[in-house]
Amino acid sequence: TQLLEQSPQFLSIQEGENLTVYCNSSSVFSSLQWYRQEPGEGPVLLVTVVTGGEVKKLKRLTFQFGDARKDSSLHITAAQPGDTGLYLCAGARAAGNKLTFGGGTRVLVKP
Amino acid sequence: GAVVSQHPSRVICKSGTSVKIECRSLDFQATTMFWYRQFPKQSLMLMATSNEGSKATYEQGVEKDKFLINHASLTLSTLTVTSAHPEDSSFYICSARAWGGSQGETQYFGPGTRLLVL
């Protein structure tokens, strides 16, 4: 059982549709990060959230950190083919701790 | 954002040989770096934590004599896969921890190294 559960595991949508990826845990995290990874490349950091209830926007991407700092979501509005990739959430239980990764959500946006 | 490089990006070697992978933080110093392994269509699996000037901390099930880690400076960590075998073929990714004020700590990842052992 993973400490961080991501859902869904795979998502296939048409260009222009919206999507949401969830990252859930029974544990509290001091910070949580979202990454996007494309095949054959390393993960690229999208955002770091540290405050419960925090909402951050990055163009068409909206990230939310749960009030209890146990869960997070990533919402993409009007998805584009360039949004295709593996989305990973990762959390640190405390400052200075190693990151725990979720299982990843593979997103495919069809033109 | 901070930049982390890895070298080589791709390596093919014969079974029984050793392969060294370098991880460098290019524009910041990192006392802590991490080494991950990733299998196709799966998430990242942490192998070890590399600490500058001290021994690496290995995750359960990872052989320290098989995967040698050296973190000799604040910008360089190396992973050596000793006596590589085909089952060691994988995508190896490093990351470096940076501290950024209100953001706290963040890990920045290298581009990965694809290892194929024949």
Side-chain angles (χ1 to χ4, degrees), chain B residues 20-31:
Chain B
K20 180 186 283 189
I21 303 170
E22 292 185 349
C23 178
R24 294 182 185 273
S25 56
L26 298 185
D27 50 1
F28 67 102
Q29 294 182 330
T31 56

Side-chain angles (χ1 to χ4, degrees), chain B residues 3-19:
Chain B
V3 179
V4 175
S5 70
Q6 272 184 251
H7 177 80
S9 59
R10 185 182 297 266
V11 57
I12 301 174
C13 69
K14 292 182 178 180
S15 185
T17 61
S18 294
V19 175

Side-chain angles (χ1 to χ4, degrees), chain B residues 26-95:
Chain B
L26 298 185
D27 50 1
F28 67 102
Q29 294 182 330
T31 56
T32 304
M33 293 184 176
F34 302 88
W35 287 96
Y36 296 83
R37 186 172 179 176
Q38 187 177 33
F39 293 103
K41 298 186 178 180
Q42 293 189 21
S43 187
L44 278 67
M45 181 187 77
L46 180 64
M47 298 174 65
T49 301
S50 172
N51 303 296
E52 188 268 336
S54 65
K55 291 183 179 180
T57 304
Y58 290 82
E59 294 300 300
Q60 190 174 7
V62 179
E63 299 176 57
K64 63 179 181 180
D65 295 328
K66 171 76 172 175
F67 299 99
L68 299 179
I69 291 173
N70 183 275
H71 194 156
S73 78
L74 289 173
T75 58
L76 173 64
S77 174
T78 60
L79 168 69
T80 301
V81 183
T82 62
S83 187
H85 291 285
E87 57 266 29
D88 298 323
S89 298
S90 191
F91 194 50
Y92 292 88
I93 309 174
C94 73
S95 70

